[in-house]
Amino acid sequence: MAEPAILRQLFVRIGLTQAVADTIVDNHNINTIPTIGLSVLTDELEIYRDHEEQWTEPSFLDIEITRNDWNKTFRTIEESLTNFKGVHGCPLSYTIRVATAIPADPDPSTDYASIEDEIIARAPIVNAQGDFVATFRTDNTTLWKLLSALFKDTVDWTDIKHCARTKDGRTAFFDLKSARLGAQYTNNVSAKIERHWLALSYAGPKRNWKFDDYALNHKECFLLLAELDDYQECDKQTRVHKLIDQIVTQELDTAIDMIIASPSMGTSFDESVAHIKGFIGNREDTLVLGKQSCDGRHIASVDTRHRPPNEWHAMPKDERNTIMEERKQKKRKLENGNKKDKTTPKDSGAGKKTDKKNGRTTFKELKRRIAELESKESART
Protein backbone atom coordinates (compact mmCIF):
# COMPACT_ATOMS: atom_id res chain seq x y z
CA MET A 1 0.00 0.00 0.00
CA ALA A 2 1.18 3.53 -0.74
CA GLU A 3 2.60 5.69 2.04
CA PRO A 4 0.06 7.88 3.92
CA ALA A 5 1.68 11.11 2.71
CA ILE A 6 1.31 10.01 -0.91
CA LEU A 7 -2.32 9.02 -0.34
CA ARG A 8 -3.11 12.39 1.20
CA GLN A 9 -1.76 14.24 -1.82
CA LEU A 10 -3.46 11.92 -4.29
CA PHE A 11 -6.80 12.47 -2.59
CA VAL A 12 -6.32 16.22 -2.86
CA ARG A 13 -5.43 15.86 -6.54
CA ILE A 14 -8.74 14.14 -7.29
CA GLY A 15 -10.74 16.98 -5.78
CA LEU A 16 -10.95 16.37 -2.02
CA THR A 17 -10.12 19.08 0.48
CA GLN A 18 -7.06 18.65 2.68
CA ALA A 19 -9.27 18.05 5.72
CA VAL A 20 -11.24 15.28 4.01
CA ALA A 21 -8.04 13.71 2.69
CA ASP A 22 -6.56 13.69 6.21
CA THR A 23 -9.72 12.11 7.59
CA ILE A 24 -9.72 9.35 4.98
CA VAL A 25 -6.08 8.47 5.59
CA ASP A 26 -6.36 8.65 9.37
CA ASN A 27 -9.52 6.52 9.46
CA HIS A 28 -8.64 4.31 6.45
CA ASN A 29 -12.14 4.98 5.17
CA ILE A 30 -11.46 4.23 1.51
CA ASN A 31 -15.20 3.86 0.76
CA THR A 32 -15.64 7.63 1.03
CA ILE A 33 -13.50 8.30 -2.06
CA PRO A 34 -15.66 9.77 -4.85
CA THR A 35 -16.18 7.36 -7.73
CA ILE A 36 -15.07 9.99 -10.23
CA GLY A 37 -11.59 9.95 -8.74
CA LEU A 38 -11.03 6.21 -8.50
CA SER A 39 -9.50 5.81 -11.97
CA VAL A 40 -7.20 8.79 -11.45
CA LEU A 41 -6.15 7.46 -8.07
CA THR A 42 -5.48 3.99 -9.44
CA ASP A 43 -3.38 5.29 -12.33
CA GLU A 44 -1.24 7.52 -10.13
CA LEU A 45 -0.74 4.81 -7.52
CA GLU A 46 0.44 2.47 -10.27
CA ILE A 47 2.99 5.05 -11.37
CA TYR A 48 4.22 5.49 -7.81
CA ARG A 49 4.39 1.77 -7.20
CA ASP A 50 6.56 1.27 -10.29
CA HIS A 51 8.76 4.19 -9.23
CA GLU A 52 9.23 2.88 -5.69
CA GLU A 53 10.07 -0.62 -6.87
CA GLN A 54 13.01 0.78 -8.85
CA TRP A 55 14.13 3.27 -6.20
CA THR A 56 17.01 2.70 -3.78
CA GLU A 57 17.71 5.20 -1.02
CA PRO A 58 21.32 6.40 -0.78
CA SER A 59 23.13 6.19 2.54
CA PHE A 60 24.71 9.66 2.59
CA LEU A 61 24.78 13.03 0.79
CA ASP A 62 27.25 12.35 -1.98
CA ILE A 63 27.86 15.93 -3.12
CA GLU A 64 30.81 18.26 -3.58
CA ILE A 65 30.94 21.39 -1.43
CA THR A 66 31.63 24.26 -3.83
CA ARG A 67 32.83 27.06 -1.57
CA ASN A 68 33.26 29.58 -4.36
CA ASP A 69 29.60 29.10 -5.29
CA TRP A 70 27.51 28.46 -2.19
CA ASN A 71 24.29 29.00 -4.12
CA LYS A 72 25.19 25.94 -6.16
CA THR A 73 26.09 23.96 -3.03
CA PHE A 74 22.77 24.63 -1.31
CA ARG A 75 20.81 23.88 -4.48
CA THR A 76 22.67 20.57 -4.77
CA ILE A 77 21.88 19.70 -1.15
CA GLU A 78 18.20 20.42 -1.70
CA GLU A 79 18.10 18.37 -4.90
CA SER A 80 19.95 15.48 -3.25
CA LEU A 81 17.54 15.41 -0.31
CA THR A 82 14.71 14.50 -2.68
CA ASN A 83 16.40 11.08 -2.99
CA PHE A 84 15.86 10.41 0.73
CA LYS A 85 12.44 9.48 2.15
CA GLY A 86 10.99 10.51 5.48
CA VAL A 87 8.99 8.27 7.80
CA HIS A 88 5.83 8.66 5.68
CA GLY A 89 7.54 8.50 2.32
CA CYS A 90 7.88 12.25 1.78
CA PRO A 91 11.06 13.40 0.04
CA LEU A 92 13.27 14.67 2.84
CA SER A 93 13.76 18.02 1.10
CA TYR A 94 10.44 19.12 2.59
CA THR A 95 12.27 19.60 5.90
CA ILE A 96 14.17 22.60 4.47
CA ARG A 97 11.13 24.15 2.84
CA VAL A 98 11.13 27.88 3.62
CA ALA A 99 7.47 28.02 4.64
CA THR A 100 6.58 25.84 7.61
CA ALA A 101 2.84 26.05 6.91
CA ILE A 102 1.25 24.20 4.01
CA PRO A 103 -0.21 26.28 1.14
CA ALA A 104 -3.66 27.67 1.78
CA ASP A 105 -6.61 26.67 -0.40
CA PRO A 106 -7.05 27.02 -3.27
CA ASP A 107 -3.80 25.28 -4.17
CA PRO A 108 -4.48 23.49 -7.47
CA SER A 109 -2.35 20.54 -8.50
CA THR A 110 -1.72 22.23 -11.83
CA ASP A 111 0.64 24.62 -10.02
CA TYR A 112 3.12 21.77 -9.52
CA ALA A 113 5.38 20.12 -12.06
CA SER A 114 5.00 16.70 -10.44
CA ILE A 115 3.21 14.97 -7.60
CA GLU A 116 6.57 14.82 -5.81
CA ASP A 117 6.78 18.63 -5.81
CA GLU A 118 3.22 18.72 -4.54
CA ILE A 119 4.04 16.39 -1.66
CA ILE A 120 7.09 18.47 -0.72
CA ALA A 121 4.97 21.63 -0.62
CA ARG A 122 2.14 20.06 1.39
CA ALA A 123 3.98 17.80 3.82
CA PRO A 124 3.17 19.02 7.36
CA ILE A 125 5.92 20.62 9.43
CA VAL A 126 3.88 22.35 12.14
CA ASN A 127 0.37 21.86 13.48
CA ALA A 128 -2.33 24.48 13.95
CA GLN A 129 -0.67 25.64 17.17
CA GLY A 130 2.67 26.14 15.42
CA ASP A 131 4.39 23.17 17.08
CA PHE A 132 6.46 20.72 15.07
CA VAL A 133 4.53 17.56 14.24
CA ALA A 134 5.93 14.16 15.22
CA THR A 135 6.76 13.08 11.67
CA PHE A 136 8.78 16.22 11.05
CA ARG A 137 10.72 15.86 14.30
CA THR A 138 11.80 12.38 13.23
CA ASP A 139 12.69 13.49 9.71
CA ASN A 140 14.51 16.54 11.09
CA THR A 141 16.80 14.22 13.04
CA THR A 142 17.51 12.26 9.87
CA LEU A 143 18.35 15.52 8.12
CA TRP A 144 20.81 16.38 10.89
CA LYS A 145 22.59 13.05 10.51
CA LEU A 146 23.05 13.65 6.79
CA LEU A 147 24.28 17.24 7.22
CA SER A 148 26.62 16.43 10.09
CA ALA A 149 28.20 13.61 8.07
CA LEU A 150 28.71 16.02 5.17
CA PHE A 151 30.24 18.91 7.16
CA LYS A 152 31.74 17.23 10.26
CA ASP A 153 35.39 17.38 9.18
CA THR A 154 35.22 20.70 7.34
CA VAL A 155 35.74 24.34 8.28
CA ASP A 156 31.97 24.80 8.04
CA TRP A 157 31.31 22.58 11.06
CA THR A 158 31.72 25.53 13.45
CA ASP A 159 28.57 27.12 12.02
CA ILE A 160 26.32 24.12 12.70
CA LYS A 161 27.87 22.22 15.62
CA HIS A 162 25.58 24.05 18.06
CA CYS A 163 22.75 21.91 16.66
CA ALA A 164 24.45 18.63 17.57
CA ARG A 165 22.76 18.25 20.96
CA THR A 166 19.23 18.77 19.64
CA LYS A 167 19.96 17.12 16.27
CA ASP A 168 18.09 19.97 14.61
CA GLY A 169 18.85 19.57 10.91
CA ARG A 170 16.55 22.35 9.73
CA THR A 171 18.16 24.96 11.98
CA ALA A 172 21.63 23.74 11.00
CA PHE A 173 20.82 24.09 7.30
CA PHE A 174 19.43 27.62 7.56
CA ASP A 175 22.14 28.80 9.98
CA LEU A 176 24.83 27.64 7.57
CA LYS A 177 22.99 29.23 4.66
CA SER A 178 22.72 32.49 6.57
CA ALA A 179 26.43 32.42 7.38
CA ARG A 180 27.44 31.75 3.78
CA LEU A 181 24.73 33.63 1.91
CA GLY A 182 23.52 36.10 4.52
CA ALA A 183 23.19 39.87 4.41
CA GLN A 184 26.94 40.58 4.53
CA TYR A 185 27.63 38.13 1.73
CA THR A 186 24.83 39.62 -0.36
CA ASN A 187 26.12 43.16 0.24
CA ASN A 188 29.70 42.28 -0.69
CA VAL A 189 28.88 40.30 -3.81
CA SER A 190 26.17 42.67 -5.04
CA ALA A 191 28.48 45.66 -4.61
CA LYS A 192 31.16 43.94 -6.70
CA ILE A 193 28.70 43.03 -9.46
CA GLU A 194 27.12 46.49 -9.44
CA ARG A 195 30.53 48.16 -9.81
CA HIS A 196 31.26 46.01 -12.84
CA TRP A 197 27.80 46.70 -14.25
CA LEU A 198 28.19 50.45 -13.81
CA ALA A 199 31.61 50.39 -15.52
CA LEU A 200 30.23 48.83 -18.70
CA SER A 201 30.02 51.12 -21.71
CA TYR A 202 29.79 50.85 -25.46
CA ALA A 203 31.35 53.50 -27.70
CA GLY A 204 31.36 51.46 -30.87
CA PRO A 205 33.01 48.21 -31.94
CA LYS A 206 36.57 47.54 -30.79
CA ARG A 207 38.85 44.61 -31.47
CA ASN A 208 37.81 42.69 -28.33
CA TRP A 209 34.64 44.54 -27.43
CA LYS A 210 31.69 44.27 -29.78
CA PHE A 211 28.07 45.03 -28.98
CA ASP A 212 27.45 41.32 -28.31
CA ASP A 213 30.10 41.39 -25.58
CA TYR A 214 28.57 44.53 -24.08
CA ALA A 215 25.04 43.07 -24.05
CA LEU A 216 26.10 39.70 -22.64
CA ASN A 217 28.05 41.36 -19.82
CA HIS A 218 24.91 43.31 -18.92
CA LYS A 219 22.86 40.14 -18.89
CA GLU A 220 25.38 38.27 -16.77
CA CYS A 221 25.30 41.04 -14.18
CA PHE A 222 21.55 41.07 -13.62
CA LEU A 223 21.30 37.28 -13.68
CA LEU A 224 24.03 36.99 -11.04
CA LEU A 225 22.27 39.57 -8.88
CA ALA A 226 18.99 37.69 -9.25
CA GLU A 227 20.63 34.64 -7.66
CA LEU A 228 21.46 36.46 -4.42
CA ASP A 229 19.14 35.92 -1.47
CA ASP A 230 17.37 39.00 -0.08
CA TYR A 231 18.61 41.20 -2.90
CA GLN A 232 16.13 43.62 -4.40
CA GLU A 233 16.85 43.01 -8.06
CA CYS A 234 16.00 45.67 -10.62
CA ASP A 235 12.86 45.42 -12.72
CA LYS A 236 12.75 44.73 -16.46
CA GLN A 237 12.51 48.40 -17.39
CA THR A 238 15.60 49.29 -15.36
CA ARG A 239 17.57 46.54 -17.11
CA VAL A 240 16.76 48.13 -20.46
CA HIS A 241 17.58 51.63 -19.18
CA LYS A 242 21.00 50.50 -17.98
CA LEU A 243 21.66 48.92 -21.36
CA ILE A 244 20.89 52.07 -23.37
CA ASP A 245 22.14 54.65 -20.84
CA GLN A 246 25.66 53.23 -21.01
CA ILE A 247 25.86 53.39 -24.80
CA VAL A 248 27.99 56.48 -25.46
CA THR A 249 28.14 56.51 -29.25
CA GLN A 250 25.77 58.83 -31.10
CA GLU A 251 25.61 56.39 -33.99
CA LEU A 252 23.00 54.36 -32.10
CA ASP A 253 20.84 57.31 -31.01
CA THR A 254 18.15 56.45 -33.54
CA ALA A 255 17.92 52.85 -32.31
CA ILE A 256 17.82 54.02 -28.68
CA ASP A 257 15.04 56.52 -29.41
CA MET A 258 12.97 53.73 -30.96
CA ILE A 259 13.45 51.58 -27.85
CA ILE A 260 12.37 54.42 -25.56
CA ALA A 261 9.26 55.01 -27.68
CA SER A 262 8.31 51.33 -27.75
CA PRO A 263 6.28 49.94 -24.80
CA SER A 264 7.37 46.38 -25.56
CA MET A 265 11.08 47.01 -26.10
CA GLY A 266 11.17 49.37 -23.13
CA THR A 267 10.51 46.44 -20.80
CA SER A 268 12.26 43.63 -22.69
CA PHE A 269 16.04 43.40 -22.46
CA ASP A 270 16.32 40.66 -25.10
CA GLU A 271 14.04 42.49 -27.53
CA SER A 272 16.03 45.71 -27.10
CA VAL A 273 19.32 43.91 -27.70
CA ALA A 274 17.92 42.26 -30.84
CA HIS A 275 16.70 45.64 -32.10
CA ILE A 276 20.10 47.30 -31.63
CA LYS A 277 21.91 44.37 -33.24
CA GLY A 278 19.57 44.58 -36.21
CA PHE A 279 20.15 48.32 -36.46
CA ILE A 280 23.92 47.83 -36.40
CA GLY A 281 23.68 45.14 -39.07
CA ASN A 282 21.57 47.32 -41.36
CA ARG A 283 23.88 50.26 -40.85
CA GLU A 284 26.96 48.22 -41.72
CA ASP A 285 25.27 47.05 -44.89
CA THR A 286 24.74 50.64 -46.02
CA LEU A 287 28.28 51.82 -45.25
CA VAL A 288 30.73 50.62 -47.86
CA LEU A 289 34.17 50.66 -46.28
CA GLY A 290 36.11 48.76 -48.89
CA LYS A 291 36.44 48.82 -52.65
CA GLN A 292 34.35 47.15 -55.27
CA SER A 293 35.85 45.39 -58.25
CA CYS A 294 34.54 46.04 -61.75
CA ASP A 295 36.08 44.50 -64.91
CA GLY A 296 39.32 43.92 -63.06
CA ARG A 297 39.70 47.56 -62.07
CA HIS A 298 39.35 48.85 -58.50
CA ILE A 299 36.84 51.65 -58.26
CA ALA A 300 36.56 53.69 -55.07
CA SER A 301 33.11 53.32 -53.57
CA VAL A 302 33.47 56.60 -51.71
CA ASP A 303 34.17 60.03 -53.11
CA THR A 304 37.38 60.92 -51.27
CA ARG A 305 37.96 64.33 -52.84
CA HIS A 306 38.72 67.21 -50.51
CA ARG A 307 35.80 69.48 -49.73
CA PRO A 308 35.48 73.05 -48.44
CA PRO A 309 35.21 73.26 -44.62
CA ASN A 310 31.56 74.30 -44.66
CA GLU A 311 30.63 71.35 -46.91
CA TRP A 312 32.76 68.92 -44.87
CA HIS A 313 31.21 69.83 -41.52
CA ALA A 314 27.72 69.70 -42.98
CA MET A 315 28.18 66.02 -43.86
CA PRO A 316 26.98 63.28 -41.44
CA LYS A 317 29.64 62.05 -39.06
CA ASP A 318 29.52 58.44 -40.28
CA GLU A 319 30.03 59.59 -43.88
CA ARG A 320 33.05 61.68 -42.86
CA ASN A 321 34.49 58.67 -41.01
CA THR A 322 34.03 56.54 -44.11
CA ILE A 323 35.88 59.04 -46.29
CA MET A 324 38.73 59.32 -43.79
CA GLU A 325 39.04 55.55 -43.62
CA GLU A 326 39.12 55.36 -47.41
CA ARG A 327 41.88 57.96 -47.54
CA LYS A 328 43.92 56.02 -44.99
CA GLN A 329 43.61 52.86 -47.05
CA LYS A 330 44.77 54.70 -50.16
CA LYS A 331 47.76 56.11 -48.32
CA ARG A 332 48.78 52.71 -46.93
CA LYS A 333 48.46 51.13 -50.34
CA LEU A 334 50.72 53.73 -51.89
CA GLU A 335 53.30 53.38 -49.13
CA ASN A 336 53.42 49.60 -49.47
CA GLY A 337 53.62 49.58 -53.23
CA ASN A 338 50.13 48.18 -53.69
CA LYS A 339 51.06 45.19 -51.54
CA LYS A 340 48.78 43.64 -48.96
CA ASP A 341 48.78 45.58 -45.74
CA LYS A 342 50.78 43.59 -43.21
CA THR A 343 50.41 45.96 -40.30
CA THR A 344 47.10 44.55 -39.07
CA PRO A 345 47.85 42.59 -35.88
CA LYS A 346 46.77 39.00 -35.76
CA ASP A 347 44.16 37.98 -33.23
CA SER A 348 46.23 36.06 -30.72
CA GLY A 349 43.28 35.40 -28.44
CA ALA A 350 41.45 32.96 -30.68
CA GLY A 351 40.48 29.76 -28.99
CA LYS A 352 41.36 31.02 -25.52
CA LYS A 353 38.87 31.53 -22.76
CA THR A 354 40.11 34.97 -21.73
CA ASP A 355 41.85 37.88 -23.38
CA LYS A 356 45.22 38.23 -21.61
CA LYS A 357 45.43 41.95 -22.28
CA ASN A 358 42.26 43.00 -20.51
CA GLY A 359 41.17 39.83 -18.71
CA ARG A 360 37.71 39.82 -20.30
CA THR A 361 35.88 36.58 -20.82
CA THR A 362 35.64 35.65 -24.48
CA PHE A 363 32.32 35.79 -26.28
CA LYS A 364 31.98 31.99 -26.54
CA GLU A 365 32.72 31.42 -22.85
CA LEU A 366 30.40 34.24 -21.81
CA LYS A 367 27.55 32.78 -23.87
CA ARG A 368 28.02 29.45 -22.08
CA ARG A 369 27.91 31.14 -18.68
CA ILE A 370 24.79 33.11 -19.63
CA ALA A 371 23.05 29.90 -20.70
CA GLU A 372 23.84 28.35 -17.31
CA LEU A 373 22.55 31.41 -15.45
CA GLU A 374 19.35 31.50 -17.51
CA SER A 375 18.66 27.84 -16.75
CA LYS A 376 19.17 28.54 -13.04
CA GLU A 377 16.78 31.49 -13.18
CA SER A 378 14.17 29.37 -14.97
CA ALA A 379 14.47 26.68 -12.31
CA ARG A 380 14.25 29.28 -9.56
CA THR A 381 11.04 30.79 -10.94
Side-chain angles (χ1 to χ4, degrees):
M1 183 176 178
E3 296 287 355
I6 296 174
L7 283 174
R8 293 176 197 273
Q9 308 316 319
L10 288 175
F11 292 155
V12 172
R13 285 175 72 91
I14 64 174
L16 303 182
T17 65
Q18 187 70 53
V20 173
D22 291 340
T23 301
I24 292 174
V25 174
D26 293 340
N27 298 330
H28 304 289
N29 190 5
I30 304 301
N31 292 327
T32 61
I33 301 175
T35 304
I36 192 172
L38 284 176
S39 61
V40 177
L41 176 62
T42 302
D43 292 342
E44 297 211 19
L45 284 176
E46 287 289 337
I47 294 172
Y48 255 90
R49 186 186 66 181
D50 294 342
H51 173 72
E52 289 182 349
E53 286 177 353
Q54 301 172 12
W55 175 79
T56 303
E57 182 169 294
S59 56
F60 61 95
L61 284 170
D62 186 16
I63 67 171
E64 180 181 355
I65 302 173
T66 310
R67 289 187 172 79
N68 62 348
D69 189 352
W70 276 100
N71 271 308
K72 177 181 178 181
T73 298
F74 288 115
R75 281 197 306 271
T76 305
I77 291 174
E78 185 172 357
E79 291 167 0
S80 298
L81 286 174
T82 60
N83 296 321
F84 295 83
K85 295 293 181 68
V87 291
H88 278 177
C90 289
L92 207 59
S93 56
Y94 90 90
T95 57
I96 57 172
R97 190 181 67 211
V98 175
T100 54
I102 61 175
D105 290 332
D107 183 38
S109 299
T110 52
D111 287 351
Y112 300 95
S114 67
I115 191 171
E116 186 176 65
D117 292 339
E118 198 171 351
I119 291 173
I120 292 170
R122 293 177 177 172
I125 293 179
V126 296
N127 57 24
Q129 291 72 40
D131 300 322
F132 290 130
V133 298
T135 51
F136 169 78
R137 290 198 299 270
T138 302
D139 292 341
N140 195 31
T141 300
T142 304
L143 173 64
W144 164 254
K145 292 177 181 177
L146 293 170
L147 293 177
S148 61
L150 179 63
F151 292 107
K152 184 66 178 288
D153 298 321
T154 71
V155 295
D156 310 298
W157 176 249
T158 55
D159 292 303
I160 64 172
K161 66 180 181 180
H162 61 281
C163 299
R165 184 180 62 81
T166 57
K167 294 181 172 56
D168 188 350
R170 179 180 173 86
T171 298
F173 177 83
F174 283 108
D175 282 358
L176 181 61
K177 190 172 184 179
S178 177
R180 297 294 176 269
L181 299 177
Q184 189 59 48
Y185 170 86
T186 299
N187 291 339
N188 293 340
V189 175
S190 62
K192 182 178 179 180
I193 297 172
E194 286 171 349
R195 283 195 300 271
H196 173 66
W197 200 355
L198 188 62
L200 295 176
S201 67
Y202 181 74
K206 307 295 181 184
R207 180 185 171 195
N208 293 309
W209 189 247
K210 305 295 190 293
F211 181 77
D212 279 331
D213 301 299
Y214 170 74
L216 283 174
N217 269 266
H218 267 274
K219 193 165 194 175
E220 183 184 38
C221 286
F222 67 68
L223 287 176
L224 286 172
L225 289 171
E227 280 201 323
L228 298 176
D229 289 341
D230 300 323
Y231 179 82
Q232 186 63 44
E233 58 182 295
C234 61
D235 57 28
K236 295 179 179 180
Q237 189 173 25
T238 303
R239 293 177 179 181
V240 175
H241 283 174
K242 282 182 175 290
L243 174 75
I244 61 179
D245 288 347
Q246 290 164 234
I247 295 175
V248 294
T249 174
Q250 296 180 351
E251 295 172 355
L252 297 180
D253 283 353
T254 302
I256 291 173
D257 290 341
M258 293 177 68
I259 291 173
I260 295 173
S262 169
S264 61
M265 287 193 292
T267 56
S268 173
F269 181 88
D270 290 337
E271 190 176 342
S272 297
V273 169
H275 172 72
I276 294 175
K277 288 173 66 175
F279 181 87
I280 292 173
N282 291 335
R283 183 176 176 278
E284 288 176 347
D285 289 341
T286 59
L287 294 177
V288 183
L289 300 177
K291 294 179 181 292
Q292 296 177 337
S293 177
C294 180
D295 296 330
R297 295 177 299 164
H298 291 289
I299 301 175
S301 58
V302 178
D303 183 2
T304 59
R305 64 183 174 82
H306 288 278
R307 294 165 171 79
N310 58 338
E311 181 182 345
W312 174 257
H313 291 295
M315 295 173 63
K317 183 179 178 181
D318 54 3
E319 190 173 341
R320 297 201 305 267
N321 290 340
T322 302
I323 293 173
M324 292 172 65
E325 179 65 25
E326 187 71 24
R327 289 172 180 172
K328 289 179 182 178
Q329 289 186 17
K330 279 186 175 182
K331 183 178 180 180
R332 284 197 297 265
K333 190 169 184 179
L334 289 173
E335 290 175 349
N336 294 325
N338 292 330
K339 293 181 180 180
K340 183 179 179 181
D341 182 13
K342 298 181 180 180
T343 61
T344 303
K346 294 182 179 179
D347 185 2
S348 59
K352 297 182 180 179
K353 289 189 176 181
T354 56
D355 174 15
K356 291 183 178 180
K357 183 177 180 180
N358 53 33
R360 289 196 186 103
T361 305
T362 59
F363 181 68
K364 183 177 180 181
E365 176 66 11
L366 190 56
K367 284 189 71 175
R368 183 189 65 78
R369 285 165 53 183
I370 291 294
E372 290 179 354
L373 289 169
E374 286 181 323
S375 65
K376 290 177 184 177
E377 186 178 44
S378 298
R380 185 171 63 89
T381 56

